[in-house]
Each structure stands twice: as structure tokens, then as C-alpha cells.
Amino acid sequence: MPETRKPTLAFFDFASCEGCQIEFTNYGDEATLELLKHVEIVEFREAMTETTTGRIDFALVEGSFTREEDRTRLQEIRRRSRVVIAYGACACTGGINALKNHQDDFAEYVYGDDASMPHLRSGTARPISAAIKVDYEVLGCPMSKEELLLVISNLLHGTIYFAPTYPVCVQCKRRETICRFDEGDYCMGQVAIAGCGAPCPADGIPCEACRGFVEDANIPALEKVLMDRAGFSHKRAVGKSRMFTANLRS
Amino acid sequence: MLQNINIDVHHLTRVEGHGNIKVNVTDGVVETCEWQVPEAPRFFEAMCRGRHYSEVGRITSRICGICSIGHTLASVKATEAALGIEVTPQTTKLRTLLKHAENFDSHVLHVYVLVAPDLLGAPSAFALVETHAEVVARALRLKRLAHEWGSLIGGRTTHPTTVLPGGFSKVPTVPELSAMRDKLAAAVPDLQATLETIAALAPGIPAFDRPTEYMAVSSDSEYGLYDGFVQTILPDGDRARYDVADYRSCTNEYVSPLSTAKYTKNRLDSYAAGALARFNVNYDMLHPEAKKVAESLGMGPICTNPYMNSVAQVVEIVHSAHEALRLFDELIAEGVTEEPLVMPTRSGTGAAAVEVPRGILFHEYTFDDEGFCTEADCIIPTGQNHANIQADFDALLPWLMASGKSEDEMRLAFEMLVRAYDPCISCSTHYLDVEFVR
Ligand code: SF4
Ligand code: SF4
Ligand code: SF4
């Protein structure tokens, strides 16, 4: 019955904490059972035994591309999939994994004398778009599960989801959160891409730009603000500004 | 008895992270019986260096998305120990309540999504939507409850936002706590139904025993999830106690002559951490309702069947629900106030241990005078369990062969054993390669 076939959805993971997959289990009964009416999940290693070699309509890829041997697996996923969705900062930008890209002794530090063993080889943490073409990106660490539902629901309806391009401050103002700077704290929401709904300032902590920076973000100005208004040392300001965004800047 | 066996499970499903099982028997001779972990390493300890103390917990939380509450708590506790920060009783109570939310959440996921399909003969929980709709709906209900409960305290359950060194950035209000308490109390029928499901499935659990050493965080005041010292128990009941700051003396990471892996061991060649270990070590501190559940499922300390870890998780689900109701009631009665973060009083080194669903998590950091991290060490539960899983494999294969199982039955038994440990392989702070030299 090809005409009644539900679109297939498959999950794949690379170097990650699998937190984005876990977010997928946090929708609760109503949203999950409703979604299952419209898509057929054909591969989800963490939750099911079945794997697929067939065509995939929507492939959700989590995690960074860190080893050359993962390239073939990514290409294979691309070849079989109609739409590839990178979800989570690890997959979209390299995320927190990219912090090590600014170090050259990470392997020695963790594994000592064993560091040169071939199975411990780990190159630069890169977004999966460094290996294959990606159709949609769901940003965040963890990804915004509401945004992922929006992407999938638009795909099911044949429409296109456009992610915000404006900074987190806009969403923060919209929910009337008192600005962290007014509380004597600091924040990076001025340069972070919105779409998460600005939960962090609302929870009383600074935005750390886990969704990455808006286009043309003025990083020197960000560092200056962190030093002038939050009283950070230069070292701390530079470090802060590359917490989740190590790949997006020098 | 089967003379030729060839089991090769590449990227075992329904576990977190990537693991392989390889078993080879030719003409009745065991050639290979291995548990392998080919996960991509991620180097968190290195990435902590140079980060400000306020950021370290945010970074190490990303070691594991499932235990991210536990990683955050272990990290802020170690940071507090290093910086001479003593948090308030309200902070401790809220964190303990958050810890119960994580254990409840993760155990529900494990028992329903990872283990139940094996016992129901289904490939996945999704397949159960057709055949066992009520079980799936109940699992999702309990999962969402845990997510709401954890989010109320931690901001969110995957990489919590509000948990900081020195306290919380935001605390729940009494009306919010009351509403959550009522939701949890209303879930008791779902817990009863969970028990009935597991009791009905329990006969499918293999009757395999392998005594080992069990290690858990213990305390004189609670079951030991959030705080305490380290305690181990041998199958004969002999106990030993260690200070958290001396965690290296009971974890003893070493490189096995048979393997390139870093294993851990203590008094025996391997030890178990996780729900069954906690059950064996801390049985006396279980909530009476949880003890009743254990008795009704025919389980008591010292239980030496590793497959029973999943049953111990059900016991802990009930324990966490009832302990949480008590903590909610106390917080509601005492009231909750916004408290400023407690500030550092010194710099130096500090360690902490917290129980995450799969076992003890140790974090240790050193900070310089400006508050930047100079050294980091994290020992994760699955790392501690790998040697024990391998030891179980070594005993399980002859047991399965002697009981005349088919290759398919054996494969399932191996897979179920690994799943019972619920290994959290993606926590690759320490890479473990369990490939044997042949
Ligand atoms: S983006 Fe964050 S939550 Fe998602 S897998 Fe990566 S580290 Fe985990
Ligand atoms: S708290 Fe952060 S995100 Fe919100 S308005 Fe201030 S700077 Fe912008
Ligand atoms: S507020 Fe900032 S740090 Fe928080 S989720 Fe949004 S982008 Fe990420």
C-alpha cells in the first residue's frame, strides 16, 4: 500500500552525549503518540533493535564528525535519505566537542602514554556539514525539542521552517525576563541565535550561546562588554565567548 | 551442547553509546568472548582545563545526556569541595530531590524502553504501541512526570540550567512544589501497574548468578544517592568504607595485561556499580515501600544475579517516588527562599561522588587562585562496570553452553546482560577497548 505509507524517520549518532536523543523522549505521551501516527521510526539504536538499509525520508543526525572513518557512514546516510536534519550543537557546529580543537595535547592529557594508540585517534570536531550536505539544522545544546517538532511538522505538511536569525535578546525581552546585566551578571544573548525561547536568562543564568552566534556577530565588542560590564579578565572573556562556539571563531 | 558458536553483535542496540559483543567457540573451545567499546573519544578532562569554575559543570554535564543531572551535581560538589564552599540545607534538599528525579526518569526509560521489549519478545518499545498500548502510554506518562519534576528544580533535565556551584540560580515556589507533589502522588497507580508488568515478566529473567564486589555511595542518613562515603560489600557480607577524597584507592584504574582498556578493581578482580550494587550495599536504607516491592519480587540482599539490576531499578523507582514525596512535604512545610550563591573561600583540589542511575560517578578538579581549572578527573560508572561485564561474560558462556541453549538464545542472553547494566558508553572520558590479545 504505497499510497498510505508513512514517511520514515531514522536516528543516527556520532560523537555526542546523546542528550538530543533524550530530549526526543521528553515530549510526553500526547506529542509522542501523535507523532507516531504520522511517521514510522525505522532506526533508533538507543530505543529499538531494528535497523534499516532502505530509503529514509527524514534522517536525524546527532553528534560531531570527529573521525575520518565516520565520513563513509555519513555519506551512506546521505545517499539513502531524502532529508538530512542535523540536530544539536554537536552536529550543527561541532558544539562543546570543538573545545578541544583549540588544544594540541588533549589526547596525552587524558590517555597519557596510551595516547598514540590508533583507536584513540580523534581529529578536529566538526559539524556533519563538513562531510555531507545538510538540509535542516536544529540548533542548541541540547537542541530545542519544540523547534525539532516544528521542522518535522513543516516537512510533513510540505512547507518550510525558517529558523530565527535574530539574537536571543529578542526572545528574552518578549518574555519580559530581567536582563542579566541589570542583575549585575553578564550574558551573551546579544550575539546568540534565538529560537530556544531564551530559557537560560529566565532561569537566572547567562546565555552561553549554545545555539551559536548570529551572522556578523561582533565578537571583539562582546569581549569588551564582558570585560567592561561584567568585570572579566581578558582570559575569561575570551574563554567565555568560545564555550559552545569554539568552531565559529579563531 | 553446541560445539560451534559465532555471535557478532556490531553496535548493540537499546544501549546508550556503541558496544560490540563477540563470541566464538570452535569445536567446543572458547576462542573469543568479548565485550568491546568502539565509541568515539571526546576528551572532557582536557577540555575543562583553563575554564572558569562557573563553567566546568556546564561542560562536564555534556559527558552524558542521560545522566546530565548527576554529572552536574558531581561537578558542582567537587567544585565546592575544591573552593571551600558549604551550601545551605535548602540547597542540599533540593539537589537530593533533583537526584531522585533523575534516577526515576532514567530507570523508567531503561525498564520500559530498553528491557521490557526483550521480555515481551518485541524488537522495540515502538513495536509495543500496537500490542501493548497501555504499557507504552504508561511509560510515556511516567517519563513526562519525571521530566516535569526534574525541570521544576533543575530548569531542564538534559543539562540542567539552575544548578550552580554554591547553590541554585532559581528555586521553585511552594505552590509549584505542591502542584508537582500532587502529580507525583497521583502516579502511584502507574507505579503499581509497573510492578505488575515486571512481576509478570520476571520469569523471563535468566537465573544466572555470579557473586562479585558491589560498590555504592552510602550514608547514615539516606540511601546514598546524593551524598555520603563510598562503601563496598563482598558476597559474604564483608564491608569496607572509603572517603570520597580517596576515590583512587578504591577505583584503582589499571591496564589489564589482556587488554588495552583501563579497568577498575578493588578487593576482587572487578566490582559492580549501579542499582543492584546500591541495593546490596544500602538495602537497610531503602524506603519501607521499596523494601515491600523487593520482597514481592522475591529479591533480597545480597543478590548476585546481574540480570536483576533491572529489577533493582524498579525497586529504586518506588524508593525515589516515596522519598521525593517526603522531601516535597518537608520543603512545602518549611517554605523555600531565594538564597544567594555561597562564594568560594579558597582554591585547591576537591573530589565528589554522586550516584547516577548506572553507578558511582567521581569528579575531581583543581582550581587556581583566579578560579580557573588546572586539572580534572572523571571516573564514570560504565568504566567501572566494564571489567565486571567481561567477568560476567566469561562465566555466562559456559553456563549457557551447559544449559543447551541455541545460538540465538545465547545472543539474546548476552545482549540482555549488557542491557541489564544499562551501560552508558557514550561517557567516553576514559576510552575502554576490551579487545583481547589472542
Ligand atoms: S548538542 Fe549537547 S545535548 Fe546534544 S548531543 Fe551534543 S552535547 Fe549532547
Ligand atoms: S539577559 Fe541576556 S539575552 Fe536577555 S536581554 Fe539581557 S543580554 Fe539579552
Ligand atoms: S538562552 Fe542561550 S544558552 Fe540558553 S538555550 Fe538559548 S542559546 Fe542556549
Side-chain angles (χ1 to χ4, degrees):
Chain A
M1 295 180 290
E3 65 278 9
T4 60
R5 190 184 73 99
K6 292 190 231 173
T8 51
L9 183 67
F11 293 80
F12 301 96
D13 53 357
F14 292 81
S16 71
C17 80
E18 307 194 358
C20 291
Q21 283 177 63
I22 286 300
E23 280 297 279
F24 191 84
T25 67
N26 282 338
Y27 287 123
D29 39 348
E30 281 153 33
T32 310
L33 292 174
E34 186 60 33
L35 182 65
L36 289 178
K37 286 185 197 157
H38 303 285
V39 295
E40 187 194 346
I41 299 181
V42 290
E43 180 158 342
F44 192 168
R45 187 186 45 75
E46 237 190 43
M48 60 198 283
T49 309
E50 306 96 313
T51 53
T52 173
T53 49
R55 283 291 291 169
I56 298 158
D57 289 300
F58 311 136
L60 287 164
V61 183
E62 177 192 49
S64 312
F65 166 43
T66 57
R67 296 181 297 189
E68 207 38 51
E69 57 260 43
D70 290 333
R71 186 186 291 275
T72 348
R73 213 180 124 222
L74 279 163
Q75 284 167 342
E76 172 67 9
I77 291 167
R78 177 73 262 184
R79 196 182 57 72
R80 294 194 284 136
S81 310
R82 189 155 68 81
V83 178
V84 171
I85 304 165
Y87 74 125
C90 292
C92 297
T93 65
I96 203 92
N97 299 327
L99 270 178
K100 81 172 200 298
N101 295 354
H102 292 269
Q103 304 184 350
D104 42 30
D105 65 340
F106 56 85
E108 287 75 21
Y109 185 72
V110 176
Y111 299 112
D113 293 343
D114 298 332
S116 55
M117 295 190 317
H119 62 275
L120 296 177
R121 210 177 39 228
S122 173
T124 315
R126 282 175 289 176
I128 61 161
S129 59
I132 57 170
K133 178 175 163 278
V134 168
D135 302 297
Y136 285 94
E137 287 184 339
V138 182
L139 300 168
C141 179
M143 59 108 188
S144 156
K145 60 180 189 292
E146 288 74 24
E147 201 175 24
L148 179 67
L149 268 194
L150 276 177
V151 169
I152 296 176
S153 132
N154 273 277
L155 282 167
L156 290 171
H157 289 95
T159 49
I160 296 174
Y161 168 74
F162 290 101
T165 51
Y166 48 81
V168 167
C169 287
V170 175
Q171 290 188 318
C172 192
K173 296 281 184 249
R174 231 180 252 157
R175 63 190 283 181
E176 300 183 5
T177 305
I178 299 174
C179 179
R180 294 311 306 154
F181 284 101
D182 290 338
E183 303 264 18
D185 201 2
Y186 67 92
C187 189
M188 305 213 295
Q190 319 91 295
V191 285
I193 308 180
C196 53
C200 298
D203 280 346
I205 63 161
C207 169
E208 293 184 308
C210 77
R211 296 172 56 89
F213 290 146
V214 290
E215 219 175 301
D216 299 328
N218 188 341
I219 303 300
L222 172 71
E223 287 173 3
K224 191 168 180 313
V225 167
L226 290 176
M227 289 190 285
D228 292 354
R229 291 207 51 191
F232 280 15
S233 64
H234 182 252
K235 177 181 170 190
R236 191 170 164 197
V238 172
K240 182 89 248 171
S241 66
R242 73 158 62 118
M243 177 118 164
F244 287 95
T245 48
N247 263 349
L248 305 175
R249 44 163 305 157
S250 55
Chain B
M1 189 155 94
L2 269 187
Q3 293 298 306
N4 293 297
I5 303 168
N6 183 11
I7 297 174
D8 185 359
V9 180
H10 183 69
H11 289 186
L12 175 64
T13 53
R14 280 188 281 132
V15 294
E16 197 208 352
H18 299 92
N20 299 336
I21 299 170
K22 258 195 188 340
V23 178
N24 248 304
V25 177
T26 308
D27 297 331
V29 179
V30 180
E31 288 176 343
T32 320
C33 179
E34 294 171 1
W35 165 234
Q36 307 175 335
V37 179
E39 185 78 25
R42 291 168 72 222
F43 306 100
F44 275 90
E45 290 147 324
M47 299 194 300
C48 286
R49 294 172 306 164
R51 306 303 310 194
H52 191 256
Y53 80 82
S54 60
E55 298 164 346
V56 167
R58 307 281 177 75
I59 293 171
T60 50
S61 149
R62 268 76 185 182
I63 292 173
C64 171
I66 298 186
C67 308
S68 65
I69 290 175
H71 273 280
T72 305
L73 291 172
S75 187
V76 297
K77 275 178 64 188
T79 302
E80 287 159 357
L83 300 178
I85 298 173
E86 286 211 25
V87 297
T88 66
Q90 174 182 296
T91 294
T92 302
K93 202 168 270 187
L94 283 168
R95 287 184 184 170
T96 308
L97 188 51
L98 180 60
K99 188 78 256 318
H100 281 299
E102 174 180 64
N103 249 44
F104 184 101
D105 193 354
S106 174
H107 286 351
V108 163
L109 189 73
H110 183 250
V111 169
Y112 277 98
V113 179
L114 310 183
V115 175
D118 279 337
L119 299 174
L120 289 166
S124 76
F126 300 118
L128 296 175
V129 174
E130 304 284 325
T131 54
H132 296 77
E134 174 43 32
V135 175
V136 176
R138 191 200 310 144
L140 291 167
R141 262 199 312 274
L142 287 171
K143 182 79 188 66
R144 184 172 62 183
L145 171 77
H147 177 58
E148 287 176 12
W149 158 14
S151 301
L152 175 63
I153 301 157
R156 60 184 183 209
T157 55
T158 311
H159 312 313
T161 48
T162 61
V163 183
L164 302 177
F168 280 89
S169 67
K170 187 184 173 194
V171 290
T173 63
V174 167
E176 285 171 336
L177 288 167
S178 298
M180 195 61 231
R181 187 228 174 263
D182 293 346
K183 272 192 192 176
L184 180 57
V188 169
D190 276 346
L191 294 184
Q192 190 53 39
T194 303
L195 286 182
E196 282 156 20
T197 303
I198 290 298
L201 298 178
I205 295 174
F208 168 76
D209 277 293
R210 193 188 69 83
T212 186
E213 183 176 4
Y214 300 92
M215 186 185 289
V217 175
S218 282
S219 137
D220 301 325
S221 56
E222 59 146 9
Y223 183 68
L225 288 179
Y226 172 68
D227 210 5
F229 45 88
V230 178
Q231 191 169 191
T232 80
I233 189 166
L234 295 179
D236 64 4
D238 184 34
R239 289 173 184 265
R241 190 176 158 148
Y242 308 84
D243 278 344
V244 168
D246 295 334
Y247 70 98
R248 284 190 175 87
S249 70
C250 57
T251 48
N252 304 299
E253 284 192 297
Y254 70 103
V255 175
S256 155
L258 280 178
S259 121
T260 53
K262 266 189 194 164
Y263 282 176
T264 58
K265 71 170 179 181
N266 188 33
R267 291 189 288 166
L268 301 182
D269 283 344
S270 68
Y271 64 82
L276 185 63
R278 290 191 289 265
F279 177 89
N280 283 337
V281 174
N282 297 328
Y283 181 82
D284 290 343
M285 302 303 282
L286 272 177
H287 192 280
E289 289 295 325
K291 277 190 190 155
K292 266 196 235 161
V293 166
E295 280 161 24
S296 75
L297 294 168
M299 188 186 184
I302 296 169
C303 173
T304 54
N305 178 348
Y307 289 95
M308 290 297 274
N309 194 52
S310 312
V311 180
Q313 288 175 321
V314 176
V315 173
E316 287 195 343
I317 288 174
V318 174
H319 173 78
S320 278
H322 286 279
E323 276 296 289
L325 287 173
R326 183 180 65 80
L327 290 166
F328 273 118
D329 286 340
E330 285 182 18
L331 284 160
I332 293 163
E334 293 159 3
V336 193
T337 44
E338 294 281 349
E339 296 173 328
L341 295 180
V342 183
M343 286 296 134
T345 58
R346 59 177 162 86
S347 58
T349 301
V354 163
E355 286 285 345
V356 283
R358 295 151 190 84
I360 311 186
L361 179 57
F362 297 101
H363 281 223
E364 185 186 64
Y365 309 109
T366 304
F367 295 99
D368 66 17
D369 291 343
E370 287 177 276
F372 289 104
C373 178
T374 55
E375 302 282 346
D377 186 34
C378 307
I379 300 188
I380 55 134
T382 298
Q384 297 165 68
N385 274 328
H386 276 305
N388 208 60
I389 296 177
Q390 182 62 51
D392 281 348
F393 268 32
D394 294 340
L396 183 63
L397 180 59
W399 184 79
L400 289 170
M401 286 169 70
S403 52
K405 300 274 192 229
S406 71
E407 193 171 290
D408 280 347
E409 287 169 328
M410 288 193 196
R411 180 182 300 109
L412 181 64
F414 275 103
E415 290 193 5
M416 282 173 67
L417 180 89
V418 176
R419 277 188 208 118
Y421 277 90
D422 194 5
C424 169
I425 312 164
S426 63
C427 306
S428 313
T429 51
H430 285 63
Y431 186 87
L432 290 131
D433 182 350
V434 196
E435 187 118 28
F436 278 55
V437 174
R438 277 164 233 162

